[in-house]
Amino acid sequence: MFVTKVTGYKRLYYATWYSLKGLKAAFLSEPAVRQESFLLIVGIAVSLWLDVSMMERILMIGSILLIIIVELLNSAIEAVVDRIGPEIHELSGKAKDIGSAAVFMAIMLALLCWGGILYGLFF
């Protein structure tokens, strides 16, 4: 039996569809994704309002987008770990903790970017 792979524009269509499905699932099931999406909207508005360069604006928005990206990966890790089973296991806890640490580091990067740009703008 031969399995044909979807290629070209059809593959792009399906990839986009699955990505949007994943974003919707994360938005509906993960409070952190909703909070970070709100933060992104506020961050975009603030960065457009401030008198900053295009590169600084990209850093400000991109650093918040990175938080959401890492949160999505963390949520995927948690879903897979939870799917394996409900029992407590050292490696499951370690995987979840490391995912959470990645989100924390992305937040620290965003704070560094925003803090540095705002400091340079106002002081």
Side-chain angles (χ1 to χ4, degrees), residues 2 21-22 24 28 43 52 56 58 79 83 91 96 100 106 108-109 118 123:
F2 292 99
K21 186 177 171 183
K24 180 181 177 185
L28 294 176
V52 295
E56 290 169 325
I58 290 168
R83 167 64 177 93
L91 292 176
K96 287 185 170 191
S100 179
M108 292 298 103
L109 177 63
L118 292 176
F123 298 106

Side-chain angles (χ1 to χ4, degrees), residues 79-90:
V80 169
V81 168
D82 291 345
R83 167 64 177 93
I84 291 170
E87 67 277 354
I88 295 173
H89 191 279
E90 180 184 344

Side-chain angles (χ1 to χ4, degrees), residues 13-87:
Y13 169 78
Y14 283 116
T16 302
W17 176 256
Y18 294 135
S19 296
L20 293 175
K21 186 177 171 183
L23 283 172
K24 180 181 177 185
F27 189 83
L28 294 176
S29 65
E30 297 292 331
V33 172
R34 291 191 295 274
Q35 293 164 351
E36 292 154 358
S37 296
F38 175 75
L39 178 64
L40 178 63
I41 292 167
V42 172
I44 290 171
V46 169
S47 72
L48 292 172
W49 178 72
L50 291 173
D51 184 26
V52 295
S53 71
M54 182 60 73
M55 187 57 64
E56 290 169 325
R57 188 168 288 119
I58 290 168
L59 280 172
M60 294 170 88
I61 295 170
S63 65
I64 298 173
L65 274 173
L66 182 64
I67 294 172
I68 296 173
I69 292 166
V70 176
E71 184 67 54
L72 290 169
L73 293 170
N74 181 45
S75 296
I77 290 168
E78 289 183 354
V80 169
V81 168
D82 291 345
R83 167 64 177 93
I84 291 170
E87 67 277 354

